Amino acid sequence: LSQGAPTHMKRLGATPSHLRLRRSSGRACTSIVVGGVSLAVCALVCLASATSVAFGDTAAITTVPVSLRPPGQVVKQRNPISASGEISPELRAMPEKNFTGQHSARRGLGFIVASACFVFLGGFAGARAASPVAKLEGSDLEAAKSKMGWFNQKVLYEAATEIQFTGRTANGFGWDNKQQGVYASPISGAPLFSSEAKYDSGTGWPSFWAPVDSSAILTRMDPKDKAARPDLPRTWRVEVLDRASMTHLGHVFPDGPAPTGKRYCLNAAALWFLPGQAPSGDPLQATL
């Protein structure tokens, strides 16, 4: 890291190459759901094919072959079986194979096999992409904490709030920094927010409309608000934390801009800015 990042961040891989981002577990679920729907549809196709096979003896001979019709005769019956249940000798001599039913059955089974493969591969890829975030604990957590200034520690560990229009990241970038790059946790080193999703909310705090990866953050009702106003749940804010280190970042509000309508209002002191290439903002990662 060129900006003097702590050694614990370098060890945890918070470098630009680390920004080949994981997909969230929600995408794994989406792959499985889509595959399941496809499997269900194709199961219905197979069921219809099986029905065709079961009743194929009558379906396969829906009309009398032209070669067996008397000249000028128009056959209106779909089933050339007489009222007594007997079949004409000409039709009886024909091979009793339901090629249409067999073909439909094979096609239906093919669809089911393909869908099953889609479900398996989609779920497998999603599960691999949605690997859990490694938590920072014990001596590693204490070592990272000791490298922070006293005010950074107050914000990160005691949920203090910096004065608006004055904040600076843990490595010295202003709250209104306009450089391209990624905002990471100064404790865990996890990439949290991209400059591509940053905007000026007019509040004096760094604001974003989506995180880099929803699995890297944790949201919950603010414990301080719940303790201070237990009878007023509508006044409770939604706190945002770095999931790996469980440190405070800020709050998220439902009054942000398009495309998400979310405003992740954070303390600059709870972030570490990594200048460089920034991933595109992903609206699907914005959750409350």
Side-chain angles (χ1 to χ4, degrees), residues 60 76-77 174 217:
K76 297 183 179 180
Q77 274 187 279
I217 64 172

Side-chain angles (χ1 to χ4, degrees), residues 141 155-157 185 187 240-243 245-249:
L141 186 61
V155 172
L156 290 162
Y157 293 96
S185 165
I187 303 300
V240 183
L241 303 97
D242 166 42
R243 186 182 293 272
S245 62
M246 291 301 291
T247 50
H248 176 79
L249 300 174

Side-chain angles (χ1 to χ4, degrees), residues 92-162:
R92 191 182 299 279
M94 293 176 64
E96 296 181 0
K97 291 185 178 180
N98 187 352
F99 294 104
T100 302
Q102 291 177 2
H103 177 70
S104 298
R106 285 195 295 269
R107 183 169 56 186
L109 290 174
F111 281 142
I112 285 209
V113 171
S115 297
C117 291
F118 180 81
V119 173
F120 175 78
L121 293 176
F124 178 75
R128 286 194 61 183
S131 55
V133 175
K135 287 189 176 181
L136 195 65
E137 298 175 337
S139 59
D140 289 336
L141 186 61
E142 289 302 316
K145 179 179 179 180
S146 66
K147 292 177 169 55
M148 295 294 102
W150 73 270
F151 183 68
N152 300 92
Q153 291 189 31
K154 290 282 287 184
V155 172
L156 290 162
Y157 293 96
E158 300 177 30
T161 301
E162 65 194 17

